[in-house]
Structures are given as C-alpha cells and as structure tokens.
Amino acid sequence: MGSNSVVSNRRMPEKMNCFDLSPNSNSDSEAEEVHVLAVDDSLVDRKVIERLLKISSCKVTAVDSGWRALKLLGLLDDEEEDKSSSSSSDGFEGLKVDLIITDYWMPGMTGYELLKKIKESSSFREIPVVIMSSENVMTRIDRCLEEGAEEFIVKPVKLSDVTRLRDYYMATREIRSAESGINVNKRKLQESFDVSTASSSPSSSSASPPSLFSSPAPCSPSSLDSPTRRPKMTSLDHILI
Amino acid sequence: MDRKQLQYQVACMRKSLFDQGYLDEQFNQLEDLQDEANPNFVEEVVTLFYSDSSRFIHNIEQAMINKPNIDYGKLDDYMHQFKGSSSSFGAKKVKKECSQFRECCSAGNIEGCIKTFRQLKARACHFEEEAGNILSAGKTSWNR
C-alpha cells in the first residue's frame, strides 16, 4: 500500500491552547461532524477530496481558490480588520469550519499565502490548516510548517490520510470542548502553574495542558499512524530542491 | 450484444488501460470510492479529468504560441497543475509526460517542450477516447 508523506507540525499541540475561545469549539460540536473547508483549483482533486471527506463522515465545503475560501470565512470584507480583532466569530456570517485543507499551488493565491492569511487572523488562526501538494519538496514543506500548517500531505491524498486527519481533529476538538467548559478555573490553575515550578502539578486531571500535550496521549499526532508521517524520500525525481 | 458480452468487453477495455500504463493504482483507489450511494462517481471524475485536461492543454498551448518569448515559469506552472490533476486521477502516462515536459522547461529546451507536449496531447486524447468508449459502451456507471 502506497503511503504519502505526511509531515506534522510538532508545535501544533502548543497551539491548541485550551484557553483560547476557538470560534469552532462549542458545547454542541462534540456531536457534530468535522466541517472541512477544502481548497483546490483542480476539478479532479476537488471531487476526490470531497468524496474522501464525505466517506469519512465529514461535512465538506469545497472551493476553487484561496480568495473564495477567504471570502467564505469572512476574511475579505472591508471590516476585516475589525472582525479579525474580535475574539469570537459571533456577529458575522463567516463559515465555521474545523479544518482547512488546501492545495499548495493554485493560480492567484497559493495555499501558502492562504495559510498566512488565516494565521494572521485572530479569529481563524486556531483553525488547523493542512497543505496538499503533488510534490515532495522539503523547502516547501518546511516553509508551510513554519508558517503554522499542521500537516503537509503529498498527493494523491488517500482515504487513510483523511480518516487519520478526521480522527485526530475530532479528538482535539473534543478536548477543546471539554476544556472550554472549565475555562475560568483552568485559567486560574494555569496562572498558579506558571508562577510555581512545573513540578507542582495543579491537578491530576488528564486535561491539564502540559501533561496532555507533552505526553504521547492517544490523541497526539505522534502516535497516529506514525509510518505515514515520515517524509517520503523515495521518489527522488520529485524532489526539486 | 447481450449484457454479459458487453460487460466482458467493458472489462477488457478497462484492463487494457491499466495494461498499457494509462492508469495506475490511484485509479483503483477512485474506483473504491464508488458505491451504491454514489454509483456515478468514477464517471464524474473521468468527466472532470477531461475538463481539467482541456483547460491545461489550452493554457499551455497559448503560452507556447509566441515562441521567442516563452515564459517557461508559466509553462511550468500550468504543467504542474496538469501533473497534479493527472496524479490524483491515476493517469500514469499523462503524468509521466508532464514530468518530462517540466524537465524540458527547466532546461529551457523549447523543442523538447513541443515534442513532449505533442505526445502528451496524444496520450490525453487516446485516453479520453478509450474511457469514453467504456462509459458509452456500458451505458451504465463504470464498473470493475
């Protein structure tokens, strides 16, 4: 079975800060499907990724460009500055998504540029962004991960890639939902945790951020299907460094 | 021709596309995504591949018309898109031609580009014809 290189951003767990009121985490989200915004200019790729996501029980919105994606998210309005500075998405009609998966190379706005715009937005920067590319170029992968991409998948995307992503983001969303319910108390605990040394563990709860994200918990990326996470270096003709 | 003979013929045509190297295992993956609830998935993807291919071929041709002033970067970009689409579809031969074209592009080898492009068009047309025959022969959705 062919496996695609999937490189994860090891810094990702640190970004899943339970203190952030992610616009997409709410108490109802546990029962809801993962809503994925898929961005790809290729008709074939859009069709395929849409099908893969639907088979994986995800809700899908598929668009053909980065501009359209930003527009749907509500990041292209004139009031963009005002909206992006607000702490939540309440009050404007931007699409609520749990995950964005985008092709790297697209005419007009690349997936990298889209990634940057999303990470620059205070409303949307917590949304995980996955980049897809038909080429395994290390400099490209590094650039995307440094900019905040959670994963880099080499096309063709397989069903196993999508179900793995879905499982991971479902798990992390549940954690965020669970933690947001005790947000205030956690903030106080975190403050005392920061002040004191790390050894004074505030609680034995597995929801404590340092222990959850530093240890290889079941939902952590490192434990999920590790063989496909190593960059595929076998197809040398695809490496264009 | 009765149904069984037709099915056999369609199966042979399909197998031939794999044997000739026009399709690879990625296409099998797409076939796996078809089910009773989505019986036309493969046919839809084939149709979209035609559309993608036509668009890319047109763009590339336009970019190559002014021979002395070729924008190799643009050509490469278009071919990159075509390669991506053919890779996701499982169009093995087309994908290979795309790679060769890009090599010619990076070398600034316009003659190589033209020659490769002609082959690419021929392969894309041939595939389109054969896949079209399969789809119309069966008058039903693509089946294994």
Side-chain angles (χ1 to χ4, degrees):
Chain A
M1 176 190 340
S3 64
N4 297 328
S5 61
V6 176
V7 184
S8 70
N9 183 351
R10 300 291 175 181
R11 294 175 299 160
M12 175 170 54
E14 295 167 8
K15 292 182 180 182
M16 298 290 197
N17 191 322
C18 67
F19 303 125
D20 286 340
L21 276 174
S22 163
N24 297 309
S25 67
N26 54 64
S27 57
D28 295 328
S29 66
E30 289 134 8
E32 288 174 8
E33 297 167 312
V34 175
H35 185 184
V36 182
L37 175 61
V39 190
D40 202 316
D41 63 296
S42 158
L43 290 164
V44 168
D45 287 338
R46 232 170 27 249
K47 181 77 177 174
V48 172
I49 194 76
E50 194 174 19
R51 181 85 186 111
L52 291 175
L53 287 165
K54 284 184 175 169
I55 283 179
S56 307
S57 307
C58 295
K59 184 179 165 190
V60 188
T61 299
V63 296
D64 63 356
S65 71
W67 291 113
R68 219 177 288 276
L70 290 176
K71 198 169 167 106
L72 274 181
L73 292 171
L75 286 175
L76 277 187
D77 297 332
D78 291 338
E79 300 88 1
E80 180 181 330
E81 289 301 314
D82 292 336
K83 286 174 181 174
S84 64
S85 64
S86 68
S87 61
S88 82
S89 58
D90 288 339
F92 77 97
E93 299 301 317
L95 197 68
K96 294 191 190 221
V97 298
D98 298 302
L99 169 67
I100 296 168
I101 183 162
T102 176
D103 190 24
Y104 178 88
W105 201 99
M106 296 183 288
M109 178 187 288
T110 65
Y112 176 73
E113 286 159 351
L114 173 61
L115 166 69
K116 280 178 73 171
K117 292 239 184 257
I118 289 164
K119 294 304 171 186
E120 282 163 11
S121 158
S122 58
S123 301
F124 291 98
R125 64 174 170 233
E126 294 304 320
I127 299 179
V129 180
V130 173
I131 309 281
M132 305 178 280
S133 175
S134 57
E135 285 171 329
N136 189 356
V137 180
M138 288 313 296
T139 49
R140 182 181 296 177
I141 294 171
D142 288 343
R143 202 159 75 118
C144 290
L145 294 182
E146 279 162 21
E147 199 56 47
E150 314 300 342
E151 304 264 355
F152 190 101
I153 300 179
V154 176
K155 288 180 175 180
V157 180
K158 298 210 177 334
L159 184 60
S160 54
D161 293 322
V162 173
T163 50
R164 188 183 50 74
L165 285 175
R166 184 230 31 222
D167 290 345
Y168 177 78
Y169 291 111
M170 285 285 275
T172 54
R173 191 178 68 180
E174 282 168 14
I175 290 160
R176 276 183 279 142
S177 293
E179 289 172 345
S180 66
I182 48 173
N183 195 30
V184 173
N185 290 335
K186 293 296 286 185
R187 191 181 294 278
K188 288 183 180 168
L189 282 171
Q190 182 63 30
E191 282 168 0
S192 63
F193 186 84
D194 286 342
V195 169
S196 58
T197 61
S199 60
S200 60
S201 152
S203 116
S204 58
S205 160
S206 61
S208 166
S211 61
L212 177 67
F213 294 123
S214 57
S215 63
C219 63
S220 77
S222 58
S223 65
L224 289 176
D225 201 10
S226 45
T228 64
R229 293 182 160 272
R230 288 192 295 273
K232 182 168 82 175
M233 303 299 270
T234 52
S235 304
L236 295 176
D237 57 325
H238 292 297
I239 295 179
L240 300 176
I241 297 170
Chain B
M1 189 183 290
D2 69 11
R3 187 177 166 77
K4 250 195 168 163
Q5 281 176 312
L6 190 61
Q7 278 182 340
Y8 178 74
Q9 185 187 49
V10 166
C12 287
M13 288 157 79
R14 179 191 163 277
K15 185 173 180 299
S16 167
L17 283 174
F18 280 92
D19 291 343
Q20 291 179 70
Y22 277 95
L23 295 175
D24 62 22
E25 62 166 19
Q26 172 60 18
F27 192 78
N28 289 132
Q29 302 271 337
L30 299 189
E31 288 175 317
D32 285 344
L33 298 181
Q34 181 164 291
D35 58 22
E36 285 173 3
N38 297 272
N40 301 314
F41 177 72
V42 174
E43 184 176 347
E44 287 165 5
V45 178
V46 169
T47 306
L48 291 174
F49 183 63
Y50 293 165
S51 299
D52 264 354
S53 303
S54 302
R55 176 165 62 100
F56 298 137
I57 285 171
H58 172 79
N59 289 343
I60 291 161
E61 266 176 335
Q62 291 299 307
M64 288 208 297
I65 282 175
N66 298 321
K67 263 193 191 172
N69 302 309
I70 289 193
D71 184 345
Y72 284 104
K74 202 178 224 181
L75 274 185
D76 187 69
D77 286 344
Y78 287 139
M79 206 45 98
H80 174 100
Q81 288 180 278
F82 199 174
K83 185 184 167 194
S85 183
S86 57
S87 170
S88 298
F89 181 78
K92 191 168 152 187
K93 275 192 177 178
V94 168
K95 180 178 153 188
K96 193 175 167 190
E97 299 290 350
C98 290
S99 293
Q100 283 177 356
F101 183 95
R102 294 184 77 199
E103 280 170 21
C104 294
C105 255
S106 359
N109 176 5
I110 188 57
E111 295 304 325
C113 284
I114 292 170
K115 184 182 168 199
T116 314
F117 182 62
R118 281 195 188 125
Q119 275 169 244
L120 173 61
K121 270 183 79 171
R123 297 222 195 280
C125 286
H126 181 76
F127 171 74
E128 195 169 319
E129 199 181 311
E130 300 234 336
N133 288 340
I134 293 174
L135 289 171
S136 60
K139 291 274 192 271
T140 56
S141 38
W142 185 289
N143 287 311
R144 287 213 206 202

